[in-house]
Each structure stands twice: as C-alpha cells, then as structure tokens.
Amino acid sequence: MYCGECGTKNEKGAKFCENCGAALEQEEERTEETVKKQEKKQPTKPRKPMSKSKKILVSGITAVVILLVVGFLLLKNSVSPNAVANTYFKAFVDQDLDTMYQCSDLDESEFTTKDRFVEYYSNDDQKDLAKSIKNFNVTEVDYSDDSLTAYADISYTTSSGTKQTTLELHKTSDKKFLVFDEWVVVLPEDDFTEDFTLYVPEGSEVDFGGVVLDRSYLDETSDGYDTYIIPALFNMEYEVVVSLPIGFEVTETIEADYYNNPTWIDFDEDSLSEEATATIEEQLKTDMNLLFSSAIGKQEWSSIADNFGSDTSDLEDAYDSLVEDVAGGYFSSALERFEVTDIRSIDSIYFEDGILEIDFTVDYKYKPVDGEEETDYDYVWFYYEMDGDQLKLVDAYSLPSYF
C-alpha cells in the first residue's frame, strides 16, 4: 500500500503513513461481489431511438416475408390434387374444353389429339351431362402408398339427385413453379378404347377418321386379312374408308367402343359404288363367257388356265364338268353357242380367307346344235382371289348345265 501524499510504501492494513503520517485510504478488495457492486453503480447508457426510415424498412421486410409465406402456401394449394380435380370438373361443367385439356394426361397421337379431345367432350351426350350438373364439391382426396396417384372423390347434384364420381390423378416428373409437384387428371377408361383392332381385306388402304393407317399400325396378315391395331381411340364414331388394290372402295361409319372391338370391314353388295359394281359385272361376264366358249370348243384346261388364278384345282374340276354338260346328254342338248347378256343382280358379295365370293343372277342366251336360240337365267357363285389390281377366278359353282 502506498501513501497518497509522499509515495512511501507502507505495510498492508496501515492506517497512517510511516513517513509523513498522512492518513492512508484502505484499498478495497476486488472481489466478484465488489465488481458487481461497481457495475451496478455505473450509470446505464441510454439507447438511441430507432429512426423512422429503419422502422419502415423492418416493417417492409416483415411484410414481404409474410407475403412470401402466404404466396407459397397459396401456390402449393393451387396445384394440389384437390385443386386440379376441382379445376378439371368445373371446366367440364362449364364446357371449358381448353382448361380440361390442360389438366389432363392425354398422350397425344394421331388419334388422341386436342381436336379429337374437343370433338369427344363436346358431343351431345357429354354436353347434356355437363348441363345437368347443378353443383359439385371435391369431398376427399386419397393417395396411393407410393404417393404417385391421387383419387379425388367428387359429389355432384343433378335434377335426379346427388351422385358420386372419382377422378384419378397422376403425379408427373415435371414441376409447377419450379418447386411444386405437377398433378394431371387421368381420363376415364370409359372414354377410351385401347388397342382397337381392325380387320380389312389383305392389301387394302385404310383411311380411319381422316388418318391413313401406315405400316406402323399393321400387326399381322393372315387368312386374307390385314390386322391393324390402334393403341387408343376416343369412344365415338369414325368414318372408315377401305380401298382394295383392285379399286373397290367401301365406306363405313363405326362406333369405337368395347363392344365393337374388334371390327371387320367386309365388302357386300350394298357397299359397292356404281363404278365398282360395273367393274365386277364386266368381270363376271368375261369369265363366264370364256368358260363356256372354251368348253363348247372342247379346249384343254391347260390352254386357258393362264386366264385365271393361281390355285385353280377346283375351277378345273368345274370346267371339266361343264365340258361334259355342253356336249349334250340324255336330258340336255349339245350347245353351239352361249353368251351372257346381263348380270341381273349381284345378290351377295363378301370376303373370306382371302377370297372374294360373289353370288349373282345371270341372264344368258344359248343355241343348241339342233334348236333355236333361247334365253334363260340362273344363280351362280364365282370365287376370286386378288392379284394386284386384278380379280382372278379360282372357282365356280352352279354353272348352267341344262339346255
């Protein structure tokens, strides 16, 4: 301890300086308690008040954070399965087909385009259903175990009461607003037919609802038919035009649905155009006249076989019988001349196992060797194969045999 007057060092605890006698101040021990007392004695420095501009800045930042949080939640809810199902169903009720299309998972192809989507969902049945709905509500949304599929239950009211339906939604690999899962509505199975199968005569060109079916749709060719498979079709009517290589054309309107899958396009007498009918009638006349003139002239089959099809064993048998018939017998006169005058009617025509069967009524005139010229008619069946753009006769049944 040092004297405050002379600076002499004194013993600890002395009350007076041993050199000058001045009273000594006792040095307070700086214990933790002493330090705390001294700190308490120190006056508190007043805090500077926040400026107006700083208050505005803090308020602005707080508001922005709140808006971002609220916006995030709103955006998240707007793309949820519940919201997407609600948007889709409302669009259907309002017949807002563009919004419906945007909410759907439609895989576009030549037969599942936006135009066909609009055509299907704007047909009379769909419009009537949409108009009948008075109100609706998405009541519940359930998820699959893997959370990739959602099922939205919808309750809606019509004039006939309350009804229920369920929309299935799939989660895609894309993101909405960069961070949220994208959900799309799976179109109801009742609206589609998958793997629609069409059988047409081999070698035909097929225009299905304005789309010419190329080889990518051709599955196989067997028993004289080409088999086309269309992966998916909306369940509605399509105009189908089938053109055979020989130039015949058939136009049919078919309803694509579960009950009409598969569908066969066949030729019949009612489906032939006037031009096609005239072509067939001329072919029938030519072949029948050739058979009779050759038989009357007793020509060998080998001399005329090149005029007919590739497999003519049955036709050769029919020709051999005709040679005997026109030569005359106990109940029939030998023929000097035979000529088809008219194909009165094509009674039926159909395609089976690669063969076109034509049943027809023929008018003809004939002259026996020992008689006058006469006329008659008969019912005949001719069977043709298609050779490129030509018909080739391969069999004949019920040729006129009594004269």
Side-chain angles (χ1 to χ4, degrees):
M1 174 183 294
Y2 291 89
C3 177
E5 295 294 330
C6 65
T8 301
K9 182 177 180 181
N10 295 276
E11 292 182 3
K12 184 177 180 181
K15 294 183 178 180
F16 299 96
C17 177
E18 63 182 19
N19 180 46
C20 66
L24 297 176
E25 292 184 5
Q26 296 298 314
E27 186 175 304
E28 188 175 355
E29 192 172 346
R30 292 184 62 82
T31 64
E32 182 178 348
E33 183 178 353
T34 304
V35 173
K36 287 183 178 179
K37 288 180 179 179
Q38 289 178 345
E39 288 178 350
K40 286 182 179 179
K41 291 179 181 179
Q42 293 179 356
T44 303
K45 185 177 181 181
R47 179 178 294 177
K48 185 178 181 180
M50 185 181 295
S51 66
K52 183 178 181 180
S53 60
K54 192 172 183 180
K55 289 181 179 179
I56 294 174
L57 178 61
V58 171
S59 299
I61 292 174
T62 302
V64 169
V65 171
I66 293 173
L67 286 175
L68 286 175
V69 171
V70 172
F72 180 89
L73 294 175
L74 289 175
L75 284 176
K76 183 178 181 180
N77 288 334
S78 71
V79 296
S80 68
N82 187 308
V84 174
N86 187 84
T87 299
Y88 179 87
F89 202 81
K90 183 179 185 304
F92 172 71
V93 173
D94 296 339
Q95 283 291 280
D96 180 0
L97 302 180
D98 284 337
T99 299
M100 282 184 66
Y101 178 78
Q102 292 168 8
C103 292
S104 73
D105 72 336
L106 182 67
D107 292 328
E108 284 210 9
S109 69
E110 289 183 298
F111 293 98
T112 53
T113 62
K114 182 179 180 180
D115 287 342
R116 294 191 188 276
F117 177 96
V118 171
E119 182 182 356
Y120 176 75
Y121 285 104
S122 62
N123 66 35
D124 291 340
D125 290 341
Q126 297 290 334
K127 283 183 177 179
D128 290 343
L129 175 58
K131 289 179 180 178
S132 71
I133 297 175
K134 309 300 181 184
N135 203 352
F136 74 93
N137 184 41
V138 179
T139 57
E140 186 178 3
V141 176
D142 294 320
Y143 295 86
S144 61
D145 293 338
D146 59 10
S147 298
L148 297 177
T149 302
Y151 303 94
D153 294 332
I154 298 176
S155 176
Y156 63 95
T157 57
T158 68
S159 57
S160 60
T162 301
K163 300 181 179 181
Q164 303 286 333
T165 190
T166 299
L167 289 181
E168 181 179 338
L169 298 95
H170 286 176
K171 181 162 66 176
T172 74
S173 59
D174 297 327
K175 294 293 183 181
K176 284 286 194 179
F177 308 112
L178 301 179
V179 293
F180 304 116
D181 292 329
E182 181 185 57
W183 292 89
V184 290
V185 175
V186 179
L187 297 178
E189 291 183 359
D190 291 344
D191 295 346
F192 278 94
T193 297
E194 294 185 342
D195 293 332
F196 186 85
T197 303
L198 183 71
Y199 295 96
V200 300
E202 182 180 348
S204 299
E205 180 180 283
V206 183
D207 183 312
F208 195 103
V211 176
V212 177
L213 300 185
D214 58 27
R215 305 292 294 182
S216 65
Y217 294 100
L218 184 62
D219 181 58
E220 64 176 354
T221 298
S222 63
D223 298 329
Y225 280 93
D226 287 337
T227 305
Y228 288 92
I229 296 180
I230 301 172
L233 287 174
F234 283 105
N235 288 346
M236 60 184 185
E237 290 186 345
Y238 296 85
E239 184 178 81
V240 181
V241 181
V242 179
S243 303
L244 266 69
I246 54 177
F248 299 163
E249 184 177 283
V250 172
T251 301
E252 287 191 16
T253 299
I254 66 172
E255 180 81 23
D257 57 25
Y258 172 82
Y259 301 101
N260 291 314
N261 187 23
T263 288
W264 279 262
I265 301 295
D266 282 316
F267 289 85
D268 58 40
E269 62 278 10
D270 296 325
S271 64
L272 292 175
S273 65
E274 291 184 3
E275 182 180 359
T277 300
T279 299
I280 290 177
E281 289 177 349
E282 188 61 33
Q283 187 72 51
L284 295 173
K285 286 182 183 180
T286 299
D287 290 334
M288 194 165 181
N289 282 332
L290 177 59
L291 288 172
F292 271 88
S293 62
S294 300
I296 291 171
K298 296 182 174 57
Q299 296 184 43
E300 293 293 328
W301 170 252
S302 58
S303 67
I304 63 170
D306 290 344
N307 295 285
F308 304 110
S310 57
D311 182 7
T312 56
S313 57
D314 292 334
L315 183 59
E316 183 178 359
D317 291 341
Y319 177 75
D320 290 341
S321 296
L322 181 62
V323 171
E324 296 178 3
D325 292 334
V326 299
Y330 186 77
F331 295 104
S332 180
S333 301
L335 286 189
E336 179 182 310
R337 187 171 63 251
F338 178 96
E339 181 183 354
V340 175
T341 57
D342 188 34
I343 303 300
R344 183 183 298 185
S345 64
I346 295 178
D347 303 315
S348 70
I349 178 172
Y350 63 94
F351 192 84
E352 183 175 10
D353 296 334
I355 300 299
L356 195 66
E357 178 182 319
I358 304 173
D359 307 344
F360 60 100
T361 303
V362 58
D363 291 319
Y364 56 88
K365 59 184 179 181
Y366 63 93
K367 182 182 182 306
V369 173
D370 299 326
E372 299 293 327
E373 186 174 85
E374 299 183 34
T375 62
D376 204 347
Y377 72 95
D378 222 324
Y379 304 101
V380 182
W381 286 258
F382 272 11
Y383 301 84
Y384 287 93
E385 66 179 13
M386 290 183 293
D387 181 14
D389 60 354
Q390 294 183 320
L391 285 176
K392 294 290 188 177
L393 188 66
V394 294
D395 195 9
Y397 175 72
S398 191
L399 289 168
S401 58
Y402 179 77
F403 307 99

